[in-house]
Amino acid sequence: MISRLADVVDRALTNIAAMALFAILCAIFWQVVSRSVLGTPSSFTDELARFLGVWLALLAAGAALGRGTHVALHWMADVPGSRRAALSRQCAEAAGLVFAVAVLIVGGLRLVLVTAQIGPQSAALGIPLAAIYTALPVAGVAIALRSVANLWAARHSATGSSS
């Protein structure tokens, strides 16, 4: 069940990241057109592209983890089916889980709460910066969910192959 939920979240992350990338391309295109053709550069497109880039990077990291294209200790896992390969995958998943919980979820939530209390807004768009920083805990939850699903699957495949 956790694996199915993680798959749904992975698909959602991929779709949202694709939309963010498209929006970034549109913002940059409009910036070029407004500067070169209209002679008056748009005041919000640079900030919009930057904020969407933050969301894109964090959500794409979660989607990459779901596809198995995340950073791992490949030098330890070069021998398929070996104990070192299984241990390497489990260590990478556990490290990803610890990072997601400690840095992205806990640290991200603290950053969002402090920023929401202070109340700064972006200069050009006028949106609360806490909304931008919300990308941290959102990505953290997605990464933690996928890491738990991968650890669960690795544990069950290890116990299934030894019995």
Side-chain angles (χ1 to χ4, degrees):
M1 181 170 88
I2 193 165
S3 182
R4 282 190 223 128
L5 177 61
D7 290 341
V8 169
V9 170
D10 291 342
R11 282 192 296 278
L13 290 177
T14 301
N15 291 335
I16 294 168
M19 289 186 287
L21 179 60
F22 180 73
I24 290 169
L25 292 174
C26 289
I28 292 170
F29 177 77
W30 177 247
Q31 177 67 18
V32 170
V33 168
S34 67
R35 180 183 299 144
S36 302
V37 177
L38 303 177
T40 56
S42 177
S43 62
F44 71 93
T45 53
D46 181 53
E47 193 171 87
L48 177 64
R50 204 174 6 191
F51 291 158
L52 286 172
V54 169
W55 275 85
L56 173 64
L58 289 165
L59 296 181
L65 182 65
R67 293 175 183 245
T69 56
H70 60 291
V71 176
L73 304 174
H74 292 290
W75 61 272
M76 286 181 66
D78 284 341
V79 183
S82 72
R83 286 185 182 254
R84 279 185 7 175
L87 181 61
S88 171
R89 282 192 297 278
Q90 290 175 7
C91 286
E93 294 297 341
L97 178 60
V98 168
F99 177 80
V101 171
V103 175
L104 297 176
I105 297 174
V106 174
L109 282 174
R110 285 182 180 172
L111 178 63
V112 169
L113 292 174
V114 167
T115 307
Q117 287 175 348
I118 297 170
Q121 294 188 339
S122 67
L125 295 172
I127 60 175
L129 290 181
I132 306 306
Y133 299 150
T134 303
L136 291 165
V138 168
V141 168
I143 290 170
L145 176 65
R146 174 47 72 183
S147 294
V148 167
N150 289 348
L151 284 168
W152 183 265
R155 181 172 186 248
H156 282 284
S157 68
T159 58
S161 62
S162 64
S163 15

